[in-house]
Each structure stands twice: as C-alpha cells, then as structure tokens.
Amino acid sequence: MATRESINRVKIEGWRVSRVPIDPAQVVYQGDLMVWNAAARQAVPGSSASGGTFIGMSDTKNPVGTAGSPEFLSDTGKPRINVIQQGLVEVIWGSTETIYPFESVEIGANAQTCEKGTGNPVGIIDPAYTATGTAVTAGDLVRIWLRVPDA
C-alpha cells in the first residue's frame, strides 16, 4: 500500500511548466497534484475541494531535503517548482472499486490521492488497463494520463 511521500511518479512526460510560484513555507512533495490559488497567485497542493483550477503534477519538492538525512539541516525552501501538465503519471488510489480505461479521475482526499469522478477532473485512467475492468483497493498505485483544463 502506498502512502503520501516524496516520490516522483511521472512515467511519460509530455509537457512541463518551470518556475511555478509557491509559498516557500508550503510542503510540496514530488507527485503532488497542484491547483492554482488565484487570490495568492501561487500553486498549492490540491484536495477534493479544489475546483477547476488544476494545473498539473509537481515534479519537484519543497523544501529540498539534504542528502543522507531525513531531517532538514538548513532552510532550503524555494519559492518555485516545476509542474508536469501532460503525461502518464502514477497516483495513489483512494477507494476500493473497479476502474476502466478512459474513466475520468479527480483529486481525492489529498494531493496524491485520486478517485473516479467528474467534479474536478485531473485526468483519465490509462487505456492499458483491461476493458473488462481492473479491481483496485485504496492505496494501490494507478496510472493516469493528466488532463489540465484549457485556460
């Protein structure tokens, strides 16, 4: 079972945006689904209540960890991250159900969890899953194709 952690889940990259502004005090993991906060003019990790502001998946983390230590030895927070906007990525599934190719996916309980739904779409299920359906449980890693909405 997967948990929210610092792992890059990009399998195939199609398009990225560099130097997206964030709050330097905000914790962002590689693989977080990011949304745009128009009021603060910054990207923030998404949640199920994010609305239609999805901008992609973080390809970098903040703050940057120091080598050889699980603790941060200095303040290395950066005010910008890279965001993948097109590509095949792996996300943590948030519920136990059967998934089918091309089903719409939305942000789940946190920035790395997804579930079926059309309310706040972030992508579609990879068509490599079987047409008869694939049973997944909460915590499984599922491949999706990102779909950032047009501005």
Side-chain angles (χ1 to χ4, degrees):
M1 173 188 276
T3 59
R4 187 168 185 255
E5 57 191 14
S6 177
I7 293 178
N8 188 348
R9 290 175 172 41
V10 177
K11 299 296 184 185
I12 300 173
E13 180 181 326
W15 181 260
R16 93 171 37 216
V17 177
S18 299
R19 301 187 44 80
V20 176
I22 61 167
D23 177 356
Q26 176 77 55
V27 175
V28 176
Y29 291 104
Q30 288 177 324
D32 275 357
L33 298 170
M34 304 299 289
V35 296
W36 186 252
N37 179 343
R41 292 181 174 79
Q42 295 175 333
V44 296
S47 69
S48 57
S50 297
T53 58
F54 176 65
I55 61 169
M57 176 183 271
S58 173
D59 189 38
T60 49
K61 66 181 276 186
N62 185 62
V64 178
T66 52
S69 172
E71 302 296 323
F72 304 124
L73 301 179
S74 61
D75 181 16
T76 57
K78 301 292 181 190
R80 303 203 180 261
I81 61 170
N82 295 334
V83 176
I84 304 296
Q85 291 199 307
Q86 288 180 348
L88 179 66
V89 298
E90 203 169 51
V91 294
I92 301 168
W93 204 250
S95 59
T96 300
E97 59 192 332
T98 302
I99 59 171
Y100 298 90
F102 296 105
E103 282 189 308
S104 185
V105 175
E106 65 184 6
I107 297 175
N110 63 48
Q112 286 192 354
T113 305
C114 284
E115 56 194 28
K116 288 196 292 190
T118 58
N120 301 314
V122 298
I124 59 169
I125 301 290
D126 183 22
Y129 287 99
T130 64
T132 56
T134 302
V136 294
T137 59
D140 284 353
L141 295 175
V142 174
R143 292 177 315 277
I144 67 169
W145 286 92
L146 292 176
R147 292 268 171 104
V148 175
D150 292 334

